[in-house]
Amino acid sequence: MREVLTLQMGSYANFIGSHFWNLQDEVLGLQSRDASSEVVRPWLAVNSNILYQEGNNGKTPTYTPRLVMVDLCGSQGSLLKGGAYASRRQDEIARASASGATASWGGKVRVYESEQVHRTEFLRVLDKEDEAAWIEDTSLPTRDEDGDEDMLEADEEQPSKAGGGRGSTDNESSDADAAVDELEAAARKLEHDVKYWSDFLKAQTHAKSLSLVEGYWEGVHTFDTFGEGRMALVESTERREAVIDRIRYFLEGCDSPQGMHCIADVSGGFAGFSSEILTELRDDSFSRKNVCLFASEPPRRIFRSALDIPRAMDEDPSSQSKRRIQSLGDAMCMGTLSDKCDLYVPLTSTTMKAAGMASAVLRTSSGLA
């Protein structure tokens, strides 16, 4: 097996990654259908074991992406730090534990608690479908230690699924259509409901997949320069090891890893953060492995043409300074990250302004030539 590890660093990178893993999740769904179908047949050639790994959460088998997601604290939305397979009551258990810890304190206690991030309707509908599928699976006959089948008592009162008759089939078909309609209605609301990249992530993630940069909070700390991201790891061995240990965990589960997909934000602090992580990987586990880096950059103002550049000089000094820092960060990112990977692929949301800028540069280059 030639496994591939995926590393996502930064909120925009995780937004892109959520779309990618949703697509992979659809492929898994197609592969579980009738292999004789013309729709399914082309997808049977996809070997999902390259990107996914098998495991067990203590109760049931799991099949999760071989994935490490890095972001600032508070940016993961409703996704539990223990992964999607973690108990939904994890937060409640943590609060109960905290209450018990303060029971021996006789003084006043003041609790500061952020508002809970609720799961989107889209994810709640998926949870309901997963729960129904789990109940159906657990209702099947099981074998005891002697090898005899233990049939549920309810089987005597309920008709067999195999011999339910036409009415049973019609009801199942009607329920399936209603479930699809409910899911489609919830999906249409995502355009207005999505605030975090986890709000539409369908794939079940491993407990080791999510890594938050301790001490840096979304909306509180800027984390928007190359130097800030680099110093976050230089100043703290714990932050560095939190990411590296997760990467090593997934690598240890591979028979023969062939390389890594890396999606990294390159317009802020995660550019320097990614540079430090990739440098250590190159010196350690991935010295002879292939690394494909997708440099993601969210949309931002791009000059329409060379004639627009003088207008930027009319900006206030703070805006001019920020623009210079962004340009310097872009140059440092390109110079450092491209040296740490075998393939560097820029991913930028382009607009008509970007196209105008490109044509202006081409005309200038042509004129100089």
Side-chain angles (χ1 to χ4, degrees):
M1 179 64 64
R2 300 285 285 165
E3 301 91 346
V4 173
L5 172 67
T6 303
L7 178 60
Q8 299 167 190
M9 292 183 282
S11 290
Y12 197 63
N14 283 314
F15 267 99
I16 296 173
S18 293
H19 287 290
F20 174 78
W21 292 112
N22 284 351
L23 177 61
Q24 299 302 318
D25 188 72
E26 289 295 325
V27 172
L28 290 177
L30 287 171
Q31 290 178 338
S32 64
R33 297 182 182 178
D34 184 10
S36 61
S37 172
E38 294 184 0
V39 177
V40 176
R41 196 178 298 116
W43 298 103
L44 296 177
V46 177
N47 186 1
S48 297
N49 291 328
I50 293 177
L51 296 176
Y52 282 75
Q53 68 173 19
E54 296 181 1
N56 194 295
N57 66 351
K59 295 182 179 180
T60 58
T62 60
Y63 197 57
T64 55
R66 195 175 289 105
L67 166 69
V68 176
M69 304 174 290
V70 185
D71 212 336
L72 302 183
C73 296
S75 62
Q76 78 278 18
S78 62
L79 183 65
L80 297 176
K81 195 171 182 179
Y85 277 112
S87 170
R88 300 298 178 193
R89 297 182 62 249
Q90 179 175 331
D91 292 339
E92 299 176 9
I93 295 174
R95 294 193 188 97
S97 177
S99 300
T102 58
S104 60
W105 169 250
K108 294 182 178 180
V109 177
R110 180 178 295 179
V111 178
Y112 294 91
E113 185 175 308
S114 61
E115 183 179 354
Q116 182 181 1
V117 179
H118 298 284
R119 293 168 67 79
T120 59
E121 182 179 348
F122 177 73
L123 295 181
R124 292 197 298 269
V125 172
L126 290 176
D127 288 342
K128 186 167 63 174
E129 291 184 356
D130 291 341
E131 183 177 358
W134 181 83
I135 293 175
E136 182 178 352
D137 290 341
T138 55
S139 67
L140 296 176
T142 58
R143 294 185 178 274
D144 57 19
E145 296 180 355
D146 299 329
D148 298 327
E149 290 188 351
D150 295 332
M151 305 301 293
L152 296 178
E153 295 179 0
D155 288 347
E156 299 178 358
E157 303 175 0
Q158 297 178 356
S160 169
K161 290 183 179 179
R166 177 170 181 150
S168 174
T169 304
D170 291 342
N171 290 336
E172 292 177 2
S173 177
S174 177
D175 292 342
D177 292 341
V180 171
D181 292 341
E182 184 181 13
L183 184 60
E184 290 180 350
R188 285 192 290 268
K189 296 180 180 180
L190 284 176
E191 183 177 354
H192 306 288
D193 291 347
V194 170
K195 294 181 181 179
Y196 306 95
W197 48 264
S198 62
D199 287 341
F200 60 97
L201 176 61
K202 297 195 305 177
Q204 305 285 356
T205 57
H206 192 274
K208 291 281 188 179
S209 285
L210 181 60
S211 178
L212 301 177
V213 184
E214 297 294 337
Y216 287 87
W217 285 83
E218 181 74 21
V220 178
H221 301 90
T222 54
F223 206 68
D224 58 359
T225 64
F226 186 95
E228 283 180 308
R230 181 176 178 275
M231 292 306 296
L233 295 177
V234 172
E235 296 175 348
S236 173
T237 305
E238 290 77 10
R239 294 193 191 109
R240 181 188 297 268
E241 289 302 318
V243 180
I244 297 298
D245 285 348
R246 283 169 169 77
I247 294 175
R248 287 173 179 161
Y249 170 82
F250 286 104
L251 289 178
E252 289 172 357
C254 299
D255 294 329
S256 179
Q258 61 176 306
M260 177 172 64
H261 292 152
C262 179
I263 310 175
D265 289 356
V266 296
S267 60
F270 277 104
F273 192 98
S274 304
S275 177
E276 285 294 308
I277 293 296
L278 291 178
T279 297
E280 180 152 348
L281 289 177
R282 280 305 199 188
D283 295 338
D284 187 17
S285 308
F286 266 78
S287 58
R288 296 184 180 181
K289 305 297 182 182
N290 296 320
V291 176
C292 177
L293 175 64
F294 297 92
S296 61
E297 183 176 7
R300 65 182 181 184
R301 185 177 175 228
I302 304 176
F303 296 122
R304 186 178 185 84
S305 67
L307 298 178
D308 289 338
I309 296 179
R311 299 177 187 176
M313 304 306 296
D314 297 332
E315 296 178 344
D316 58 275
S318 62
S319 297
Q320 292 184 21
S321 177
K322 184 177 180 179
R323 190 178 297 280
R324 293 191 186 100
I325 292 175
Q326 286 180 341
S327 299
L328 180 60
D330 292 344
M332 293 181 66
C333 173
M334 178 70 76
T336 57
L337 287 179
S338 60
D339 188 49
K340 305 295 188 301
C341 59
D342 300 283
L343 179 63
Y344 186 97
V345 183
L347 293 179
T348 305
S349 297
T350 58
T351 62
M352 292 301 293
K353 293 184 179 181
M357 177 64 175
S359 61
V361 172
L362 289 174
R363 286 195 298 270
T364 302
S365 302
S366 177
L368 291 174

